[in-house]
Amino acid sequence: MAAPRHLRRWLIIAGVGVAAVGAGLWWWQRPATVTTEPVRRGRVIEAVYATGTVEPIHRVVVKARVSDHVEAILAEEGDAVTAGQVLARIHNPLRAYALTQGKTQLTRAERQAGASSPQLAALTAQARALEAQLEFARLELGRTERLRASGAVTQQALDAARLSAVTLEAQTEAAKQGLRSARLELAAARDQLATQVDSLASEVDEREVASPITGQVLRRDVEPGEVVAVNQ
């Protein structure tokens, strides 16, 4: 009886071993689980990570064109800016006041040099009055010459008529020349003031410091309230 039980134990152990080996072979050779996805078109990105220093292609140092206090800073380091964008403003009250005064003087000069100028109107009236007197003096001279030819008047009367005509001719020419000179002087004064106003307007416009190119602010060396010089 002991021998068969011993044999059955071995048979059971052998059966269990065969089952374990079979189970191991099945586990090893079992089909792999595969997850599938539909094919899609996309972008493949190849990234390379490294350390280094980035240098700009174009570096521009922006400087002030007028000297005074910095009123406001409108861009900070790292900000992206476009060409023409205002980066800072310079406080410039004296030039702004001078521009206002210059515009007022220019308006007055334009009125004085224009068609409605009181000064030119007075000179024109004077010249026309002298022209009328000269025309009358010439007529009187012609009449006196005829009377002298007939012996109706003396030579002294003829000389007086001639002197009057010559005098009025000189006065009329002087009045016309004065009118021309006044027009030229007033026009020159107007043009000079216009040039000054344009210059002052440019200086006032230059109180705004603008970016000459599109790019990024790398560094800012001034603070609001500081005094900057030209080209600083």
Side-chain angles (χ1 to χ4, degrees):
M1 295 298 290
R5 286 198 298 272
H6 181 72
L7 180 59
R8 285 198 298 272
R9 186 180 300 114
W10 280 105
L11 290 175
I12 293 171
I13 294 173
V16 172
V18 171
V21 172
L25 290 174
W26 176 83
W27 178 265
W28 181 262
Q29 297 178 355
R30 78 185 191 283
T33 301
V34 179
T35 303
T36 61
E37 290 288 339
V39 179
R40 293 190 299 271
R41 184 185 296 267
R43 175 181 291 180
V44 178
I45 299 176
E46 182 179 358
V48 177
Y49 298 93
T51 58
T53 302
V54 179
E55 292 291 338
I57 299 176
H58 302 289
R59 181 190 294 268
V60 178
V61 179
V62 182
K63 298 180 179 181
R65 295 185 179 182
V66 294
S67 60
D68 220 307
H69 292 79
V70 178
E71 181 179 8
I73 299 294
L74 305 178
E76 299 295 337
E77 294 182 358
D79 288 353
V81 297
T82 57
Q85 179 176 338
V86 178
L87 305 179
R89 287 194 179 92
I90 309 299
H91 188 57
N92 203 348
L94 294 180
R95 288 181 177 84
Y97 176 76
L99 176 60
T100 301
Q101 293 294 104
K103 287 181 177 180
T104 301
Q105 294 175 4
L106 177 59
T107 300
R108 186 182 302 113
E110 289 175 342
R111 186 168 56 252
Q112 291 176 349
S116 59
S117 169
Q119 180 179 354
L120 294 179
L123 291 174
T124 301
Q126 181 183 0
R128 288 176 179 174
L130 288 171
E131 285 179 342
Q133 294 177 26
L134 175 60
E135 184 178 0
F136 178 79
R138 286 172 176 172
L139 292 175
E140 185 66 19
L141 176 60
R143 187 182 70 84
T144 304
E145 288 175 342
R146 290 191 297 271
L147 292 174
R148 177 57 184 161
S150 63
V153 295
T154 63
Q155 182 64 36
Q156 183 178 2
L158 178 59
D159 292 342
R162 286 175 178 173
L163 179 61
S164 177
V166 170
T167 302
L168 285 171
E169 283 180 358
Q171 292 177 348
T172 301
E173 183 59 31
K176 290 181 178 180
Q177 183 60 38
L179 177 60
R180 288 192 293 267
S181 298
R183 284 175 176 168
L184 292 174
E185 291 175 0
L186 292 174
R190 177 199 59 200
D191 295 342
Q192 183 177 3
L193 283 171
T195 301
Q196 294 176 358
V197 168
D198 290 341
S199 177
L200 288 170
S202 298
E203 291 182 3
V204 171
D205 290 340
E206 288 175 352
R207 66 186 290 268
E208 292 187 343
V209 181
S211 174
I213 62 173
T214 298
Q216 188 175 24
V217 179
L218 298 180
R219 191 178 66 189
R220 176 167 64 86
D221 296 329
V222 295
E223 297 292 336
E226 291 185 359
V227 177
V228 294
V230 177
N231 292 329
Q232 178 179 346

